[in-house]
Amino acid sequence: MLRCRSTGRCVCVAVTHLKARSGWEWLRSAQGSDLLRHVQNVVQKQAADPAGVPSSDIPLLICGDFNAIPTEEVYRRFAASPLGLDSAYKKLSHNGLTEPAYTTWKIRPTGECCSTLDYIWYSQHTLRVDAVLDMPTEEQIGPNRLPSFSYPSDHLSLVCDFSFKET
């Protein structure tokens, strides 16, 4: 839980790295459900503080490597959560409804793997996405994919600017 020193407003930030590999979708779903429940408890506990604010007014940012494509159950759990979350990187799409084509692109012994597995979820009713860092193009990533000299991780960085919506 972070509190702005000048305004006193809070924001709850969580970071995760869910189980990788095919066949573990059930575990990622359980991990995601646990994370959502824990974040909700943290926010409710903060709201119960006599100096606290209502839990619905505390914005959430949940970021990380979910190791799940957008059709997977854990993604759907976050999208349908009663916490009012939305995925920030959908803002890059033409219609504002689809994730980027990839957040990781690597060459494995089994072949090339280009997927969206990373997300920044935010409280859409209390936070506004002001900017997102563009994804590099295929040409910028290069023929050897990730990691590379220019992009030293096997996942691309997701970066967003957020501001509080006026209440």
Side-chain angles (χ1 to χ4, degrees), residues 68-83:
I69 59 174
T71 57
E72 201 170 304
E73 184 179 345
V74 68
Y75 182 96
R76 292 192 307 269
R77 282 185 188 272
F78 274 73
S81 163
L83 298 173

Side-chain angles (χ1 to χ4, degrees), residues 40-132:
Q40 189 166 22
N41 289 341
V42 167
V43 169
Q44 286 173 343
K45 182 179 176 187
Q46 177 71 23
D49 182 323
V53 296
S55 61
S56 61
D57 293 340
I58 299 175
L60 301 173
L61 289 171
I62 305 175
C63 322
D65 178 356
F66 285 73
N67 276 305
I69 59 174
T71 57
E72 201 170 304
E73 184 179 345
V74 68
Y75 182 96
R76 292 192 307 269
R77 282 185 188 272
F78 274 73
S81 163
L83 298 173
L85 302 173
D86 197 8
S87 175
Y89 261 76
K90 290 193 306 188
K91 304 301 177 198
L92 278 178
S93 68
H94 295 296
N95 62 6
L97 300 174
T98 55
E99 296 291 349
Y102 50 85
T103 61
T104 182
W105 196 342
K106 47 195 143 199
I107 299 173
R108 296 189 181 268
T110 55
E112 201 162 328
C113 181
C114 180
S115 307
T116 299
L117 304 175
D118 309 279
Y119 308 96
I120 298 176
W121 294 94
Y122 71 100
S123 298
Q124 59 186 325
H125 302 298
T126 51
L127 292 174
R128 178 177 39 256
V129 179
D130 296 324
V132 295

Side-chain angles (χ1 to χ4, degrees), residues 2-47:
L2 303 175
R3 184 183 303 273
C4 178
R5 289 182 179 169
S6 60
T7 66
R9 290 195 71 177
C10 290
V11 62
C12 179
V13 180
V15 180
T16 193
H17 188 181
L18 302 185
K19 175 69 178 149
R21 304 282 184 256
S22 179
W24 292 95
E25 294 82 2
W26 65 271
L27 181 57
R28 283 191 290 276
S29 181
Q31 289 174 320
S33 293
D34 288 346
L35 178 57
L36 287 168
R37 193 170 32 259
H38 181 71
V39 166
Q40 189 166 22
N41 289 341
V42 167
V43 169
Q44 286 173 343
K45 182 179 176 187
Q46 177 71 23

Side-chain angles (χ1 to χ4, degrees), residues 143-164:
N144 296 325
R145 306 305 183 222
L146 302 172
S148 68
F149 182 75
S150 298
Y151 301 96
S153 174
D154 63 336
H155 292 255
L156 295 165
S157 295
L158 303 185
V159 180
C160 294
D161 289 341
F162 291 96
S163 58
F164 291 108

